[in-house]
Amino acid sequence: MKKVFAKIISAGLILTMGLSMASCASKKSMTVKKGKLVMATNAYFPPYEYYDNSTIVGIDAEIAAAVAKKLDLELEIQDVEFDSIIAGVQSNKYDIGMAGMTVTEERKKAINFTDTYATGVQVVIVPENSEITDVDTLLNGDYKVGVQTGTTGDIYMSDDIGDDRVVRFSKGNDAVLALSTGKVDAVVIDNEPAKSFVASNEGLKILDTAYVEEQYAMCVNKDNTELLEKINTALKELTEDGTIPAIIEKYIPSNG
Ligand code: GLN
């Protein structure tokens, strides 16, 4: 009698466990923290992301906030090393990576990219009196080039001139400081942060010849296609209703 009762209880338990697991699975949140959109960025990349006192502002921060609002989620921004963003999105530490991140075939093997929301150009910064006048001179000479670790600037330069001549920094601005103090001969970095760094460091200029053109997008875990699709819909709506163009215009005025 006792045994039968025990069996009934355990059958009941298994049934309840099974049911609650099933309901857990069906209620599984599409974000890593319920109700939140956790974004990883590297907040030293003006005007896409940078600190205004202790708040992270910029094009990416504002677009992400607008997307989060559409998805009825609260945006949480985490400032991390640029080259740890993709791994963190892969391991579901963050929902999205948004850091003026260029769409590349290599990165697509690890994560999915949303539709693109902006374009960037890799440019070369040199001292005003530099003998480096164009990209060819830079590539063919014996010059040392500063880059931000793991960025496309780093990848292209390492491919084009080899590791020996590439000096890596964890922040773009540190590469620019090294240029100011003569530790490197040039810096390869995205055009908009380049303008801002040149404006705040005397004696530097950007070469007229652009190096590579790129598209920026957010990255999302490959398994989270639900979030990817929702973000793409939000991006489309926010582009069509003028929100995204207005955010970009605010930080990069087209007449200036
Ligand atoms: N666009 C470049 C890349 O994706 C640099 C991005 C960055 O430094 N935040 O590699």
Side-chain angles (χ1 to χ4, degrees):
M1 184 62 190
K2 260 188 181 167
K3 250 186 175 172
V4 174
F5 187 61
K7 267 187 189 159
I8 293 173
I9 289 188
S10 57
L13 264 179
I14 289 167
L15 188 69
T16 344
M17 272 167 64
L19 280 177
S20 63
M21 270 163 72
S23 70
C24 256
S26 66
K27 276 193 211 135
K28 188 176 168 279
S29 166
M30 67 173 176
T31 53
V32 291
K33 289 188 196 164
K34 206 164 180 294
K36 288 205 170 180
L37 183 69
V38 181
M39 157 179 160
T41 196
N42 178 250
Y44 300 90
F45 198 70
Y48 291 91
E49 40 269 327
Y50 58 97
Y51 281 96
D52 179 10
N53 295 315
S54 57
T55 312
I56 297 172
V57 296
I59 295 173
D60 289 350
E62 288 204 27
I63 294 179
V67 167
K69 199 169 164 214
K70 281 234 176 242
L71 271 49
D72 213 13
L73 296 168
E74 189 197 325
L75 179 68
E76 177 184 315
I77 303 183
Q78 295 197 17
D79 181 18
V80 303
E81 294 290 309
F82 181 79
D83 69 342
S84 72
I85 296 175
I86 290 184
V89 168
Q90 270 187 300
S91 67
N92 281 319
K93 200 166 166 191
Y94 323 115
D95 297 306
I96 60 167
M98 193 178 193
M101 187 181 282
T102 305
V103 176
T104 72
E105 290 310 311
E106 193 58 30
R107 288 173 179 168
K108 274 191 199 164
K109 291 180 191 160
I111 38 78
N112 277 337
F113 279 109
T114 64
D115 295 336
T116 68
Y117 61 88
T119 50
V121 184
Q122 293 298 310
V123 295
V124 182
I125 310 177
V126 292
E128 259 160 15
N129 58 358
S130 174
E131 58 188 30
I132 305 169
T133 48
D134 53 33
V135 175
D136 280 346
T137 320
L138 174 71
L139 297 183
N140 297 325
D142 195 23
Y143 305 105
K144 291 246 185 271
V145 182
V147 296
Q148 187 185 359
T149 312
T151 60
T152 46
D154 180 3
I155 297 162
Y156 301 143
M157 289 320 287
S158 304
D159 281 353
D160 286 354
I161 64 174
D163 276 347
D164 292 354
R165 284 174 48 201
V166 176
V167 187
R168 300 185 178 86
F169 297 88
S170 75
K171 297 186 184 76
N173 199 30
D174 291 343
V176 175
L177 287 177
L179 180 63
S180 294
T181 52
K183 294 196 178 85
V184 294
D185 304 300
V187 166
V188 171
I189 197 161
D190 303 49
N191 57 334
E192 288 301 332
K195 281 188 213 161
S196 146
F197 294 146
V198 165
S200 53
N201 290 275
E202 253 176 56
L204 303 178
K205 66 175 182 192
I206 299 173
L207 292 185
D208 282 342
T209 42
Y211 183 40
V212 183
E213 284 198 33
E214 310 180 317
Q215 301 288 326
Y216 293 164
M218 299 181 202
C219 66
V220 181
N221 187 295
K222 271 198 189 284
D223 294 330
N224 204 347
T225 48
E226 184 185 354
L227 182 63
L228 183 78
E229 279 159 26
K230 291 210 164 127
I231 291 177
N232 279 340
T233 307
L235 286 174
K236 192 164 182 279
E237 288 169 7
L238 292 165
T239 303
E240 281 166 8
D241 74 6
T243 306
I244 289 179
I247 293 171
I248 295 177
E249 179 68 29
K250 173 177 158 191
Y251 287 93
I252 310 173
S254 47
N255 60 2

